[in-house]
Amino acid sequence: MASKNESRTHVDDVQAKKPKLEISDNEALDLTGKSSLKSFKAFDFTEVLNEDAKQKFLFLHGKSENKDAVVLLEKTPFSTDINTIKKILSSETHLKETLKNDIYGTYEATIPAELNSVKATVIYPATEKHITKYKEQEMFVVYETEDLYNSVTLPHIESQKFSVQWVYNILDKKCESDRIVFEDCSSEDTGFILLPDMKWDRKDINSLYLQAIVHKHGIKSLRDLDQSHLPLLKNILKKSLEAVKEKFGVSKDKLRVYIHYLPSYYHLHVHITHVKLEAPGFEADHAHLLSDVIENIELCSDYYKQRTLTYKVREQDELYKRLKDTYFC
Amino acid sequence: MASKNESRTHVDDVQAKKPKLEISDNEALDLTGKSSLKSFKAFDFTEVLNEDAKQKFLFLHGKSENKDAVVLLEKTPFSTDINTIKKILSSETHLKETLKNDIYGTYEATIPAELNSVKATVIYPATEKHITKYKEQEMFVVYETEDLYNSVTLPHIESQKFSVQWVYNILDKKCESDRIVFEDCSSEDTGFILLPDMKWDRKDINSLYLQAIVHKHGIKSLRDLDQSHLPLLKNILKKSLEAVKEKFGVSKDKLRVYIHYLPSYYHLHVHITHVKLEAPGFEADHAHLLSDVIENIELCSDYYKQRTLTYKVREQDELYKRLKDTYFC
């Protein structure tokens, strides 16, 4: 499925695993055994792994019976249900003034607890990998020149032997063929498959997220693109926008079409998202608009081979470890 | 002050006005007159203006004594204070299981109300402008060609006669001279002033946000840049990174340096933010990395004059109204 290899540090990752609604017999499954967890009393807090003031989450590490546990807390979005809003605005909510100036006043509002729940995810027993995944990581900006790509990044990609077999399975209709939104089979060089990204529920149009995956094998990333790929890139831009308009009624002026560098997997694919979606990875040092890519290659066929490309690496990334001895020294 | 003209739809805007801690005598200042507001009971809810599930805010429109009121609610970030975390993890927090699968469990947690307050901002009486500002607006993607810039965008910029007098006041040290972090006066063509963006509190290094404002008048935006500006751009990139390293101890690999297009004001300025800050306006259709801008101009002096530039407009923007009759038809 598209973007399955994408690394993200967010509670949604847990949701993405789509846990089934069944209770297992295994006693290690939760902090209190077979019965449902009623409080955090068995969780012995040790450290804050990460927090985010904008998205309002807090990731905690602790122990229970000498085994590691991770607790992910996230404030819930406000309901837009009118009755719930009216309850929040009722006299049960108490205000404490913090500032007042002219027509503006700010208050600390204490809302009845049941109208203001927090989503909690418990991972127990947690492995070292879970702890690393939810721990805040240092990030570093890399200015990757052509030389740095050839001397460090390319050998890294080749050594990792990132498997894209799952992509070939999609292209060969061995998997996920029921998810295909559109396919262009006009030629091996310009064909592609369009399918929903795993992060999209296929319902909320404002969260629309699709990926176009090229049929042609061997195009690892943006770095490989030159004028020989212009027919492919133009075909994707034109046909996928037409398909999204036809299937979902969303027109070009509501869509973003872009390529990630670094990509999450090394088989060329294009992201198509709704302009209202704050898609992870749409930052200027990660996303390259497909229309820009086409214009740049038209200006200079070797644009992406010669160009300094900027991206972020995290300290746990394998690539960071390679760069540490050469680039960051 | 830097970025004062930037348009954002967020409760931070209210904070940015830095209201003083004084109670005025004017009876219209709050929903209950001179006394402090204790609840929302005088607020008669009419509609949801906007909501954001990621940042957890809800903007409401209503009436009080026949005058408009706007209420902005935002869930507060979790405290990282250990005692507060321990209170949240105490037996006073109740869990209700929603899913259990293998080592993962998700719960609805009911936390004591006083540990889980909501920030409320009340604007009363609110004008039509407040309501429009906080109302969700349609966004549209514009692919601005050289022709579209010359026929629509440039006449729009010129007709609006956006005043940049406040920028000249900063450059002439008539205002905010105490805020200057660094100044390069080496020449009128390459000099600039570096000062903190209004959004930065100057304390939290992970939220570092500075702006470099060029001394030279008349460079409206990225569109005006060509090879004659290379010494200026290179000087800003080099000297401002050195200054940030010296003053704040933050090195190049922790910083993003970029130009907005469209900018919030039409006098060339460069944004410098910490890589950890999710700065508004760092999307790939808004931010252009300064290092990329330099390389592109080196490749082709007229790169930004000829190039299609992609950005978003909102339906209330003056520019959208102009584009409606020509571009979006």
Side-chain angles (χ1 to χ4, degrees):
Chain A
M1 78 194 69
S3 99
K4 62 165 57 141
N5 291 357
E6 203 140 14
S7 65
R8 296 163 58 214
T9 301
H10 192 263
V11 287
D12 282 352
D13 275 28
V14 176
Q15 291 178 302
K17 285 172 189 290
K18 290 179 189 152
K20 290 169 210 153
L21 265 166
E22 60 183 38
I23 311 292
S24 160
D25 288 323
N26 187 336
E27 282 216 354
L29 296 197
D30 68 46
L31 298 170
T32 58
K34 283 184 192 177
S35 63
S36 185
L37 196 58
K38 298 292 181 206
S39 80
F40 292 117
K41 66 181 175 191
F43 175 77
D44 193 13
F45 164 72
T46 47
E47 61 171 335
V48 172
L49 294 172
N50 201 358
E51 56 94 25
D52 186 305
K54 192 173 173 185
Q55 296 183 61
K56 283 86 183 178
F57 64 68
L58 179 69
F59 296 165
L60 306 174
H61 173 211
K63 296 268 186 187
S64 188
E65 294 175 346
N66 279 321
K67 281 183 255 175
D68 283 308
V70 170
V71 169
L72 315 172
L73 298 174
E74 185 176 10
K75 302 248 172 142
T76 50
F78 283 97
S79 166
T80 51
D81 169 67
I82 287 178
N83 290 323
T84 310
I85 291 172
K86 286 190 170 167
K87 275 187 201 161
I88 288 176
L89 297 172
S90 79
S91 55
E92 283 183 68
T93 293
H94 301 288
L95 301 182
K96 192 176 142 193
E97 186 181 291
T98 46
L99 285 174
K100 193 150 76 169
N101 182 358
D102 193 41
I103 59 168
Y104 303 100
T106 63
Y107 305 86
E108 196 184 302
T110 315
I111 290 179
E114 69 277 11
L115 296 175
N116 192 18
S117 66
V118 165
K119 185 183 165 197
T121 302
V122 177
I123 305 173
Y124 179 80
T127 64
E128 196 53 43
K129 232 174 167 172
H130 287 113
I131 295 163
T132 305
K133 176 172 180 177
Y134 292 106
K135 194 168 190 149
E136 187 177 22
Q137 286 183 44
E138 285 294 306
M139 276 197 295
F140 303 89
V141 178
V142 179
Y143 293 90
E144 185 192 83
T145 58
E146 183 180 9
D147 274 358
L148 188 66
Y149 174 73
N150 286 317
S151 63
V152 179
T153 315
L154 184 58
H156 159 72
I157 297 168
E158 285 167 348
S159 76
Q160 294 280 304
K161 297 203 194 337
F162 294 110
S163 172
V164 287
Q165 188 54 50
W166 65 275
V167 178
Y168 299 159
N169 289 345
I170 292 173
L171 296 171
D172 295 342
K173 316 275 170 62
K174 288 177 187 164
C175 291
E176 303 187 44
S177 60
D178 55 323
R179 287 164 44 85
I180 294 172
V181 167
F182 172 77
E183 180 166 17
D184 178 294
C185 305
S186 53
S187 101
E188 180 56 31
D189 283 338
T190 61
F192 67 96
I193 273 180
L194 187 68
L195 75 172
D197 186 278
M198 214 182 71
K199 290 186 280 297
W200 186 37
D201 64 5
R202 299 191 68 161
K203 287 175 199 154
D204 176 24
I205 285 294
N206 291 341
S207 309
L208 181 142
Y209 198 146
L210 298 157
Q211 282 194 31
I213 303 177
V214 304
H215 272 299
K216 194 176 172 75
H217 294 194
I219 311 174
K220 291 186 292 301
S221 77
L222 191 60
R223 276 280 182 212
D224 289 343
L225 296 175
D226 61 28
Q227 65 185 12
S228 71
H229 304 104
L230 284 174
L232 168 65
L233 301 174
K234 289 179 178 179
N235 192 48
I236 294 174
L237 188 58
K238 181 172 184 287
K239 300 261 182 68
S240 60
L241 287 174
E242 284 170 3
V244 174
K245 175 77 186 162
E246 194 193 316
K247 307 272 176 178
F248 305 104
V250 182
S251 57
K252 184 183 168 185
D253 60 14
K254 295 285 184 189
L255 294 169
R256 289 159 161 172
V257 187
Y258 53 98
I259 295 174
H260 277 159
Y261 190 80
L262 299 172
S264 54
Y265 58 95
Y266 288 88
H267 175 105
L268 188 71
H269 57 285
V270 174
H271 302 260
I272 299 159
T273 59
H274 197 284
V275 66
K276 278 199 179 169
L277 179 71
E278 284 189 53
F282 192 62
E283 303 87 48
D285 53 8
H286 197 175
H288 298 257
L289 299 176
L290 183 55
S291 54
D292 287 354
V293 172
I294 292 169
E295 273 198 45
N296 284 332
I297 293 174
E298 283 176 335
L299 181 67
C300 171
S301 176
D302 285 341
Y303 187 94
Y304 290 101
K305 294 197 196 309
Q306 297 169 345
R307 178 46 177 275
T308 301
L309 294 172
T310 307
Y311 54 78
K312 298 175 298 288
V313 285
R314 302 191 305 164
E315 60 182 330
Q316 296 296 335
D317 293 343
E318 280 304 315
L319 182 56
Y320 173 70
K321 292 168 190 165
R322 282 182 180 247
L323 288 165
K324 216 173 156 184
D325 301 328
T326 50
Y327 181 79
F328 293 113
C329 54
Chain B
M1 71 192 76
S3 100
K4 62 164 58 138
N5 291 356
E6 203 142 12
S7 65
R8 296 162 57 215
T9 300
H10 192 263
V11 286
D12 282 352
D13 275 30
V14 176
Q15 291 179 303
K17 286 173 189 287
K18 292 181 189 153
K20 290 169 211 152
L21 264 165
E22 60 182 39
I23 312 291
S24 160
D25 288 321
N26 187 337
E27 282 216 356
L29 297 197
D30 67 47
L31 298 171
T32 57
K34 285 184 191 178
S35 62
S36 185
L37 195 59
K38 298 291 181 206
S39 81
F40 292 116
K41 67 182 178 193
F43 175 76
D44 193 13
F45 165 72
T46 47
E47 61 172 334
V48 171
L49 293 172
N50 201 358
E51 56 94 25
D52 185 305
K54 194 173 172 187
Q55 296 184 61
K56 283 87 182 179
F57 64 68
L58 180 69
F59 296 164
L60 306 174
H61 174 211
K63 296 266 187 189
S64 186
E65 293 176 346
N66 278 321
K67 281 183 255 177
D68 283 308
V70 170
V71 170
L72 315 173
L73 298 174
E74 185 176 10
K75 301 249 172 142
T76 50
F78 283 98
S79 166
T80 51
D81 169 67
I82 288 178
N83 290 322
T84 310
I85 290 172
K86 286 190 171 167
K87 275 186 202 162
I88 287 176
L89 297 172
S90 79
S91 56
E92 283 183 69
T93 292
H94 301 287
L95 301 181
K96 193 176 143 195
E97 186 181 290
T98 46
L99 284 174
K100 193 151 74 168
N101 181 358
D102 194 41
I103 59 168
Y104 302 101
T106 64
Y107 305 86
E108 196 183 304
T110 314
I111 290 180
E114 68 277 13
L115 297 175
N116 192 18
S117 65
V118 164
K119 186 184 164 196
T121 303
V122 177
I123 305 173
Y124 179 80
T127 64
E128 196 54 42
K129 233 174 166 172
H130 288 112
I131 295 163
T132 304
K133 177 173 179 176
Y134 292 106
K135 196 169 190 148
E136 186 176 24
Q137 286 184 43
E138 285 293 306
M139 275 197 295
F140 303 89
V141 178
V142 180
Y143 293 89
E144 185 193 84
T145 58
E146 185 181 7
D147 274 358
L148 189 66
Y149 173 73
N150 287 317
S151 62
V152 179
T153 316
L154 184 58
H156 159 73
I157 297 167
E158 286 168 346
S159 76
Q160 294 280 304
K161 297 202 195 337
F162 294 111
S163 172
V164 286
Q165 188 55 50
W166 64 274
V167 179
Y168 299 160
N169 289 344
I170 292 173
L171 296 171
D172 296 342
K173 315 277 169 63
K174 287 179 187 162
C175 291
E176 302 188 45
S177 59
D178 56 324
R179 289 164 43 86
I180 295 172
V181 167
F182 172 78
E183 179 165 18
D184 178 294
C185 303
S186 52
S187 100
E188 180 56 31
D189 282 338
T190 60
F192 67 95
I193 273 180
L194 187 68
L195 75 172
D197 187 278
M198 214 182 70
K199 290 187 278 298
W200 186 36
D201 64 5
R202 300 192 67 164
K203 287 175 200 154
D204 176 25
I205 286 295
N206 291 341
S207 309
L208 181 142
Y209 198 146
L210 298 157
Q211 281 194 32
I213 304 178
V214 304
H215 270 301
K216 195 177 169 76
H217 293 196
I219 311 173
K220 293 186 290 299
S221 77
L222 192 61
R223 276 280 182 213
D224 288 343
L225 296 175
D226 61 30
Q227 64 184 12
S228 72
H229 305 104
L230 284 174
L232 169 64
L233 301 175
K234 288 179 177 180
N235 192 48
I236 294 173
L237 187 58
K238 183 171 182 291
K239 300 260 182 70
S240 59
L241 287 174
E242 284 170 2
V244 173
K245 176 76 184 160
E246 193 194 316
K247 307 272 177 180
F248 304 105
V250 182
S251 57
K252 184 182 168 185
D253 60 13
K254 295 285 184 190
L255 294 169
R256 289 159 160 171
V257 187
Y258 53 97
I259 295 173
H260 277 159
Y261 190 80
L262 300 172
S264 54
Y265 58 95
Y266 287 87
H267 176 102
L268 188 70
H269 58 285
V270 174
H271 301 259
I272 299 160
T273 59
H274 197 284
V275 66
K276 278 199 179 168
L277 179 72
E278 284 189 53
F282 192 62
E283 303 87 47
D285 54 8
H286 197 175
H288 298 258
L289 299 175
L290 182 55
S291 53
D292 287 354
V293 171
I294 292 170
E295 272 198 45
N296 285 332
I297 293 174
E298 282 176 336
L299 181 68
C300 172
S301 176
D302 285 341
Y303 187 94
Y304 290 102
K305 294 199 197 306
Q306 296 168 347
R307 178 47 177 274
T308 302
L309 293 172
T310 308
Y311 54 78
K312 300 176 297 288
V313 284
R314 301 191 306 165
E315 61 183 328
Q316 297 295 335
D317 294 342
E318 279 304 316
L319 182 56
Y320 173 69
K321 292 169 190 166
R322 281 182 180 247
L323 288 164
K324 215 172 157 184
D325 302 328
T326 51
Y327 181 79
F328 293 113
C329 55

